[in-house]
mmCIF file of all heavy atoms in Angstrom:
data_model
loop_
_atom_site.group_PDB
_atom_site.id
_atom_site.type_symbol
_atom_site.label_atom_id
_atom_site.label_comp_id
_atom_site.label_asym_id
_atom_site.label_seq_id
_atom_site.Cartn_x
_atom_site.Cartn_y
_atom_site.Cartn_z
ATOM 1 N N HIS A 7 9.605 1.738 -11.858
ATOM 2 C CA HIS A 7 9.600 2.985 -12.626
ATOM 3 C C HIS A 7 8.345 3.803 -12.338
ATOM 4 O O HIS A 7 8.327 5.012 -12.516
ATOM 5 C CB HIS A 7 9.699 2.708 -14.129
ATOM 6 C CG HIS A 7 10.997 2.089 -14.513
ATOM 7 N ND1 HIS A 7 12.185 2.782 -14.488
ATOM 8 C CD2 HIS A 7 11.300 0.831 -14.908
ATOM 9 C CE1 HIS A 7 13.166 1.982 -14.856
ATOM 10 N NE2 HIS A 7 12.656 0.789 -15.118
ATOM 11 N N SER A 8 7.280 3.102 -11.921
ATOM 12 C CA SER A 8 6.028 3.788 -11.638
ATOM 13 C C SER A 8 5.333 3.118 -10.451
ATOM 14 O O SER A 8 5.679 1.999 -10.067
ATOM 15 C CB SER A 8 5.110 3.763 -12.865
ATOM 16 O OG SER A 8 4.767 2.431 -13.185
ATOM 17 N N VAL A 9 4.370 3.833 -9.887
ATOM 18 C CA VAL A 9 3.529 3.298 -8.812
ATOM 19 C C VAL A 9 2.082 3.586 -9.176
ATOM 20 O O VAL A 9 1.777 4.585 -9.823
ATOM 21 C CB VAL A 9 3.872 3.898 -7.428
ATOM 22 C CG1 VAL A 9 5.257 3.473 -6.982
ATOM 23 C CG2 VAL A 9 3.734 5.412 -7.413
ATOM 24 N N ARG A 10 1.211 2.700 -8.766
ATOM 25 C CA ARG A 10 -0.232 2.908 -8.928
ATOM 26 C C ARG A 10 -0.769 3.318 -7.572
ATOM 27 O O ARG A 10 -0.545 2.638 -6.574
ATOM 28 C CB ARG A 10 -0.910 1.625 -9.402
ATOM 29 C CG ARG A 10 -2.366 1.794 -9.730
ATOM 30 C CD ARG A 10 -2.515 2.464 -11.054
ATOM 31 N NE ARG A 10 -3.907 2.518 -11.461
ATOM 32 C CZ ARG A 10 -4.315 3.248 -12.469
ATOM 33 N NH1 ARG A 10 -3.459 3.973 -13.155
ATOM 34 N NH2 ARG A 10 -5.579 3.273 -12.802
ATOM 35 N N VAL A 11 -1.451 4.448 -7.516
ATOM 36 C CA VAL A 11 -1.983 5.004 -6.278
ATOM 37 C C VAL A 11 -3.502 4.852 -6.324
ATOM 38 O O VAL A 11 -4.136 5.202 -7.322
ATOM 39 C CB VAL A 11 -1.579 6.492 -6.163
ATOM 40 C CG1 VAL A 11 -2.219 7.139 -4.971
ATOM 41 C CG2 VAL A 11 -0.068 6.624 -6.119
ATOM 42 N N ILE A 12 -4.081 4.329 -5.245
ATOM 43 C CA ILE A 12 -5.511 4.032 -5.221
ATOM 44 C C ILE A 12 -6.122 4.581 -3.938
ATOM 45 O O ILE A 12 -5.565 4.409 -2.849
ATOM 46 C CB ILE A 12 -5.753 2.503 -5.271
ATOM 47 C CG1 ILE A 12 -5.095 1.904 -6.511
ATOM 48 C CG2 ILE A 12 -7.249 2.185 -5.208
ATOM 49 C CD1 ILE A 12 -4.871 0.403 -6.431
ATOM 50 N N ALA A 13 -7.264 5.217 -4.073
ATOM 51 C CA ALA A 13 -8.090 5.605 -2.923
ATOM 52 C C ALA A 13 -9.467 5.022 -3.185
ATOM 53 O O ALA A 13 -10.000 5.133 -4.295
ATOM 54 C CB ALA A 13 -8.167 7.116 -2.785
ATOM 55 N N GLU A 14 -10.017 4.376 -2.178
ATOM 56 C CA GLU A 14 -11.332 3.761 -2.368
ATOM 57 C C GLU A 14 -12.068 3.636 -1.049
ATOM 58 O O GLU A 14 -11.473 3.730 0.024
ATOM 59 C CB GLU A 14 -11.188 2.386 -3.021
ATOM 60 C CG GLU A 14 -10.419 1.385 -2.190
ATOM 61 C CD GLU A 14 -10.147 0.084 -2.936
ATOM 62 O OE1 GLU A 14 -10.860 -0.221 -3.916
ATOM 63 O OE2 GLU A 14 -9.221 -0.628 -2.542
ATOM 64 N N GLN A 15 -13.353 3.452 -1.171
ATOM 65 C CA GLN A 15 -14.193 3.131 -0.030
ATOM 66 C C GLN A 15 -14.709 1.716 -0.265
ATOM 67 O O GLN A 15 -15.722 1.536 -0.929
ATOM 68 C CB GLN A 15 -15.374 4.098 0.070
ATOM 69 C CG GLN A 15 -15.089 5.348 0.827
ATOM 70 C CD GLN A 15 -16.355 6.163 1.013
ATOM 71 O OE1 GLN A 15 -16.610 7.048 0.226
ATOM 72 N NE2 GLN A 15 -17.125 5.836 2.032
ATOM 73 N N PRO A 16 -14.028 0.707 0.269
ATOM 74 C CA PRO A 16 -14.470 -0.669 0.014
ATOM 75 C C PRO A 16 -15.806 -0.983 0.688
ATOM 76 O O PRO A 16 -16.511 -1.884 0.262
ATOM 77 C CB PRO A 16 -13.343 -1.524 0.577
ATOM 78 C CG PRO A 16 -12.640 -0.642 1.556
ATOM 79 C CD PRO A 16 -12.821 0.765 1.075
ATOM 80 N N THR A 17 -16.140 -0.228 1.721
ATOM 81 C CA THR A 17 -17.436 -0.304 2.402
ATOM 82 C C THR A 17 -17.809 1.136 2.775
ATOM 83 O O THR A 17 -16.937 2.015 2.792
ATOM 84 C CB THR A 17 -17.375 -1.185 3.675
ATOM 85 O OG1 THR A 17 -16.458 -0.602 4.599
ATOM 86 C CG2 THR A 17 -16.944 -2.610 3.359
ATOM 87 N N PRO A 18 -19.057 1.393 3.094
ATOM 88 C CA PRO A 18 -19.455 2.775 3.387
ATOM 89 C C PRO A 18 -18.724 3.392 4.581
ATOM 90 O O PRO A 18 -18.609 4.609 4.670
ATOM 91 C CB PRO A 18 -20.951 2.677 3.687
ATOM 92 C CG PRO A 18 -21.397 1.376 3.161
ATOM 93 C CD PRO A 18 -20.201 0.476 3.128
ATOM 94 N N ASP A 19 -18.199 2.557 5.472
ATOM 95 C CA ASP A 19 -17.576 3.083 6.696
ATOM 96 C C ASP A 19 -16.052 3.008 6.701
ATOM 97 O O ASP A 19 -15.417 3.229 7.722
ATOM 98 C CB ASP A 19 -18.125 2.346 7.913
ATOM 99 C CG ASP A 19 -17.770 0.864 7.923
ATOM 100 O OD1 ASP A 19 -17.427 0.311 6.858
ATOM 101 O OD2 ASP A 19 -17.839 0.255 9.011
ATOM 102 N N ARG A 20 -15.430 2.731 5.544
ATOM 103 C CA ARG A 20 -13.969 2.608 5.489
ATOM 104 C C ARG A 20 -13.399 3.393 4.318
ATOM 105 O O ARG A 20 -13.972 3.430 3.234
ATOM 106 C CB ARG A 20 -13.533 1.156 5.328
ATOM 107 C CG ARG A 20 -13.794 0.328 6.551
ATOM 108 C CD ARG A 20 -12.945 -0.935 6.536
ATOM 109 N NE ARG A 20 -12.968 -1.508 7.862
ATOM 110 C CZ ARG A 20 -12.100 -1.234 8.817
ATOM 111 N NH1 ARG A 20 -11.095 -0.439 8.587
ATOM 112 N NH2 ARG A 20 -12.197 -1.787 10.004
ATOM 113 N N LEU A 21 -12.229 3.962 4.556
ATOM 114 C CA LEU A 21 -11.426 4.579 3.503
ATOM 115 C C LEU A 21 -10.129 3.785 3.424
ATOM 116 O O LEU A 21 -9.474 3.561 4.444
ATOM 117 C CB LEU A 21 -11.114 6.042 3.831
ATOM 118 C CG LEU A 21 -10.139 6.740 2.877
ATOM 119 C CD1 LEU A 21 -10.738 6.846 1.472
ATOM 120 C CD2 LEU A 21 -9.768 8.116 3.413
ATOM 121 N N ARG A 22 -9.803 3.355 2.224
ATOM 122 C CA ARG A 22 -8.566 2.598 2.002
ATOM 123 C C ARG A 22 -7.700 3.357 1.010
ATOM 124 O O ARG A 22 -8.184 3.804 -0.024
ATOM 125 C CB ARG A 22 -8.865 1.211 1.452
ATOM 126 C CG ARG A 22 -7.597 0.434 1.074
ATOM 127 C CD ARG A 22 -7.922 -0.892 0.449
ATOM 128 N NE ARG A 22 -8.088 -1.863 1.512
ATOM 129 C CZ ARG A 22 -7.713 -3.125 1.418
ATOM 130 N NH1 ARG A 22 -7.177 -3.594 0.322
ATOM 131 N NH2 ARG A 22 -7.887 -3.938 2.432
ATOM 132 N N VAL A 23 -6.429 3.500 1.350
ATOM 133 C CA VAL A 23 -5.445 4.043 0.420
ATOM 134 C C VAL A 23 -4.433 2.937 0.156
ATOM 135 O O VAL A 23 -4.120 2.146 1.052
ATOM 136 C CB VAL A 23 -4.768 5.325 0.955
ATOM 137 C CG1 VAL A 23 -5.784 6.436 1.114
ATOM 138 C CG2 VAL A 23 -4.031 5.083 2.250
ATOM 139 N N ALA A 24 -3.959 2.872 -1.075
ATOM 140 C CA ALA A 24 -3.026 1.801 -1.438
ATOM 141 C C ALA A 24 -2.049 2.294 -2.491
ATOM 142 O O ALA A 24 -2.357 3.203 -3.267
ATOM 143 C CB ALA A 24 -3.800 0.590 -1.975
ATOM 144 N N VAL A 25 -0.882 1.672 -2.476
ATOM 145 C CA VAL A 25 0.147 1.955 -3.469
ATOM 146 C C VAL A 25 0.668 0.618 -3.982
ATOM 147 O O VAL A 25 1.029 -0.252 -3.193
ATOM 148 C CB VAL A 25 1.300 2.791 -2.868
ATOM 149 C CG1 VAL A 25 2.374 3.041 -3.909
ATOM 150 C CG2 VAL A 25 0.773 4.098 -2.304
ATOM 151 N N VAL A 26 0.682 0.479 -5.294
ATOM 152 C CA VAL A 26 1.140 -0.753 -5.926
ATOM 153 C C VAL A 26 2.438 -0.459 -6.662
ATOM 154 O O VAL A 26 2.540 0.530 -7.393
ATOM 155 C CB VAL A 26 0.076 -1.275 -6.922
ATOM 156 C CG1 VAL A 26 0.554 -2.549 -7.601
ATOM 157 C CG2 VAL A 26 -1.261 -1.494 -6.222
ATOM 158 N N ASP A 27 3.442 -1.321 -6.438
ATOM 159 C CA ASP A 27 4.679 -1.229 -7.206
ATOM 160 C C ASP A 27 4.999 -2.603 -7.771
ATOM 161 O O ASP A 27 4.349 -3.587 -7.432
ATOM 162 C CB ASP A 27 5.835 -0.646 -6.377
ATOM 163 C CG ASP A 27 6.260 -1.513 -5.213
ATOM 164 O OD1 ASP A 27 6.515 -2.723 -5.427
ATOM 165 O OD2 ASP A 27 6.349 -0.993 -4.095
ATOM 166 N N LYS A 28 5.988 -2.667 -8.640
ATOM 167 C CA LYS A 28 6.293 -3.907 -9.356
ATOM 168 C C LYS A 28 7.432 -4.696 -8.733
ATOM 169 O O LYS A 28 8.035 -5.527 -9.393
ATOM 170 C CB LYS A 28 6.598 -3.589 -10.813
ATOM 171 C CG LYS A 28 5.386 -3.050 -11.543
ATOM 172 C CD LYS A 28 5.684 -2.758 -12.982
ATOM 173 C CE LYS A 28 4.438 -2.208 -13.647
ATOM 174 N NZ LYS A 28 4.666 -1.839 -15.027
ATOM 175 N N SER A 29 7.695 -4.455 -7.455
ATOM 176 C CA SER A 29 8.782 -5.163 -6.793
ATOM 177 C C SER A 29 8.239 -6.069 -5.700
ATOM 178 O O SER A 29 7.386 -5.672 -4.920
ATOM 179 C CB SER A 29 9.755 -4.151 -6.170
ATOM 180 O OG SER A 29 10.721 -4.835 -5.406
ATOM 181 N N ARG A 30 8.762 -7.278 -5.648
ATOM 182 C CA ARG A 30 8.433 -8.185 -4.544
ATOM 183 C C ARG A 30 9.559 -8.190 -3.520
ATOM 184 O O ARG A 30 9.498 -8.911 -2.535
ATOM 185 C CB ARG A 30 8.176 -9.589 -5.085
ATOM 186 C CG ARG A 30 6.899 -9.651 -5.911
ATOM 187 C CD ARG A 30 6.687 -11.021 -6.513
ATOM 188 N NE ARG A 30 6.605 -12.056 -5.508
ATOM 189 C CZ ARG A 30 5.486 -12.682 -5.158
ATOM 190 N NH1 ARG A 30 4.353 -12.350 -5.721
ATOM 191 N NH2 ARG A 30 5.510 -13.634 -4.264
ATOM 192 N N ARG A 31 10.590 -7.391 -3.775
ATOM 193 C CA ARG A 31 11.697 -7.262 -2.833
ATOM 194 C C ARG A 31 11.333 -6.205 -1.800
ATOM 195 O O ARG A 31 10.430 -5.419 -1.999
ATOM 196 C CB ARG A 31 12.977 -6.833 -3.543
ATOM 197 C CG ARG A 31 13.465 -7.805 -4.582
ATOM 198 C CD ARG A 31 14.784 -7.383 -5.162
ATOM 199 N NE ARG A 31 14.643 -6.063 -5.819
ATOM 200 C CZ ARG A 31 15.659 -5.338 -6.199
ATOM 201 N NH1 ARG A 31 16.888 -5.737 -5.999
ATOM 202 N NH2 ARG A 31 15.463 -4.183 -6.801
ATOM 203 N N CYS A 32 12.060 -6.196 -0.734
ATOM 204 C CA CYS A 32 11.961 -5.145 0.278
ATOM 205 C C CYS A 32 10.532 -4.965 0.779
ATOM 206 O O CYS A 32 9.911 -3.932 0.575
ATOM 207 C CB CYS A 32 12.524 -3.841 -0.266
ATOM 208 S SG CYS A 32 12.977 -2.695 1.047
ATOM 209 N N MET A 33 10.021 -5.997 1.425
ATOM 210 C CA MET A 33 8.670 -5.932 1.974
ATOM 211 C C MET A 33 8.648 -4.977 3.171
ATOM 212 O O MET A 33 9.578 -4.955 3.974
ATOM 213 C CB MET A 33 8.225 -7.330 2.416
ATOM 214 C CG MET A 33 8.145 -8.326 1.270
ATOM 215 S SD MET A 33 6.972 -7.852 -0.005
ATOM 216 C CE MET A 33 5.460 -8.043 0.885
ATOM 217 N N PRO A 34 7.597 -4.181 3.295
ATOM 218 C CA PRO A 34 7.514 -3.235 4.416
ATOM 219 C C PRO A 34 7.484 -3.948 5.764
ATOM 220 O O PRO A 34 6.767 -4.930 5.941
ATOM 221 C CB PRO A 34 6.194 -2.510 4.176
ATOM 222 C CG PRO A 34 5.833 -2.787 2.764
ATOM 223 C CD PRO A 34 6.464 -4.088 2.404
ATOM 224 N N GLU A 35 8.285 -3.460 6.681
ATOM 225 C CA GLU A 35 8.327 -3.993 8.044
ATOM 226 C C GLU A 35 8.312 -2.829 9.014
ATOM 227 O O GLU A 35 8.978 -1.818 8.791
ATOM 228 C CB GLU A 35 9.593 -4.811 8.268
ATOM 229 C CG GLU A 35 9.652 -6.106 7.497
ATOM 230 C CD GLU A 35 10.922 -6.870 7.817
ATOM 231 O OE1 GLU A 35 11.337 -6.891 8.990
ATOM 232 O OE2 GLU A 35 11.499 -7.429 6.871
ATOM 233 N N LEU A 36 7.587 -2.995 10.084
ATOM 234 C CA LEU A 36 7.502 -1.967 11.117
ATOM 235 C C LEU A 36 8.762 -2.002 11.970
ATOM 236 O O LEU A 36 9.094 -3.017 12.575
ATOM 237 C CB LEU A 36 6.263 -2.224 11.986
ATOM 238 C CG LEU A 36 5.913 -1.180 13.017
ATOM 239 C CD1 LEU A 36 5.625 0.163 12.383
ATOM 240 C CD2 LEU A 36 4.703 -1.635 13.817
ATOM 241 N N HIS A 37 9.503 -0.900 11.953
ATOM 242 C CA HIS A 37 10.714 -0.750 12.765
ATOM 243 C C HIS A 37 10.564 0.514 13.600
ATOM 244 O O HIS A 37 9.947 1.478 13.169
ATOM 245 C CB HIS A 37 11.965 -0.588 11.881
ATOM 246 C CG HIS A 37 12.280 -1.777 11.046
ATOM 247 N ND1 HIS A 37 12.832 -2.919 11.550
ATOM 248 C CD2 HIS A 37 12.109 -1.995 9.724
ATOM 249 C CE1 HIS A 37 12.994 -3.794 10.573
ATOM 250 N NE2 HIS A 37 12.558 -3.258 9.451
ATOM 251 N N HIS A 38 11.150 0.497 14.768
ATOM 252 C CA HIS A 38 11.152 1.693 15.605
ATOM 253 C C HIS A 38 12.533 2.326 15.513
ATOM 254 O O HIS A 38 13.515 1.775 16.008
ATOM 255 C CB HIS A 38 10.769 1.351 17.048
ATOM 256 C CG HIS A 38 9.356 0.881 17.143
ATOM 257 N ND1 HIS A 38 8.282 1.753 17.131
ATOM 258 C CD2 HIS A 38 8.826 -0.363 17.210
ATOM 259 C CE1 HIS A 38 7.169 1.061 17.194
ATOM 260 N NE2 HIS A 38 7.455 -0.220 17.239
ATOM 261 N N ALA A 39 12.595 3.475 14.830
ATOM 262 C CA ALA A 39 13.863 4.172 14.616
ATOM 263 C C ALA A 39 14.298 4.852 15.908
ATOM 264 O O ALA A 39 13.470 5.307 16.704
ATOM 265 C CB ALA A 39 13.703 5.203 13.512
ATOM 266 N N GLY A 40 15.593 4.929 16.094
ATOM 267 C CA GLY A 40 16.144 5.626 17.249
ATOM 268 C C GLY A 40 15.924 7.124 17.131
ATOM 269 O O GLY A 40 15.595 7.641 16.051
#
C-alpha cells in the first residue's frame, strides 16, 4: 500500500537511493527486454 523512499550518503563519496516495500515476492531481476 505504501513505499518508503530513502536518499542518503552512507559515506562522503557515495549517494544511495533506496525504496522499501512490504513484499518479499517478485524479487527484482535484470532482464534484457526485446
Side-chain angles (χ1 to χ4, degrees):
H7 295 290
S8 63
V9 294
R10 186 77 174 168
V11 174
I12 303 161
E14 63 187 339
Q15 273 187 265
T17 62
D19 64 341
R20 291 199 165 269
L21 173 65
R22 174 184 273 216
V23 296
V25 178
V26 179
D27 65 51
K28 294 181 181 177
S29 173
R30 292 177 59 107
R31 298 185 299 167
C32 200
M33 297 299 292
E35 291 182 40
L36 187 61
H37 296 285
H38 294 281

